[in-house]
Amino acid sequence: MRKGGVILYPTDTVWGIGCDATNVEAVKRVYEIKQRDDSKALICLVDSDARMQRYFRNVPDVAWQLIDGLKDSDAKPTTLILDGAINLADNLIAEDGSVGMRITNEPFSKELCYRFQKAIVSTSANISGEPAAQNYGDIDPRIIDAVDYVCWSRRQEHKPHTPSSIIKLKENGEVTIIRK
């Protein structure tokens, strides 16, 4: 990923396609692999609230309250869409200046984020419009062939996984639930 590579990896939700969230060319490749219009946003994973803070001009108080509540290991993974994104690839940031980010608690993706020391793109491992891959065996071979590396962790797993909840938080405190 440090050289612009794209990976396939298990996350705290479904399998994901990932890359360095600060690398414009790597993000472009993710859009191409998914056959997705680059006007549709991608989300990022980080390992901690401290790292998340590096990517926004201002994190509203309500976001910190939600993040504190999500630290419980039983909490459903939740992606926060926040305004004022900074220090990320331009083609990752939505037209309104926002980006979706999630602090992962799943051991593999958390360690990956920690070791990489940057935000990692995390978009479902599927062709745009097709169902998300809950397990490695569900991934379209075109995705597997298109990435530079496929992580070994959790390939044998066969259990249901669901995408994260998504909550949009405006700087003015307005809260919108995008996906429960």
Side-chain angles (χ1 to χ4, degrees), residues 8-9 11 28 40 58-59 94 101 120 128 134 142 153 157 166:
L8 190 57
Y9 69 113
T11 74
K28 180 181 174 190
K40 293 185 176 183
N58 178 44
V59 177
M101 195 166 286
I120 298 175
S128 190
Q134 293 185 35
R142 294 175 291 176
S153 181
E157 190 173 83
I166 301 176

Side-chain angles (χ1 to χ4, degrees), residues 52-53 55-60 63 80-86 88 93-101 167-174:
M52 184 174 144
Q53 192 168 357
Y55 299 106
F56 298 97
R57 282 189 191 87
N58 178 44
V59 177
L80 301 180
I81 300 174
L82 303 174
D83 292 332
I86 57 173
L88 293 166
I93 300 171
E95 287 182 17
D96 67 358
S98 68
V99 76
M101 195 166 286
I167 300 173
K168 184 170 178 107
L169 303 173
K170 303 290 273 176
E171 285 185 22
N172 66 6
E174 181 182 327

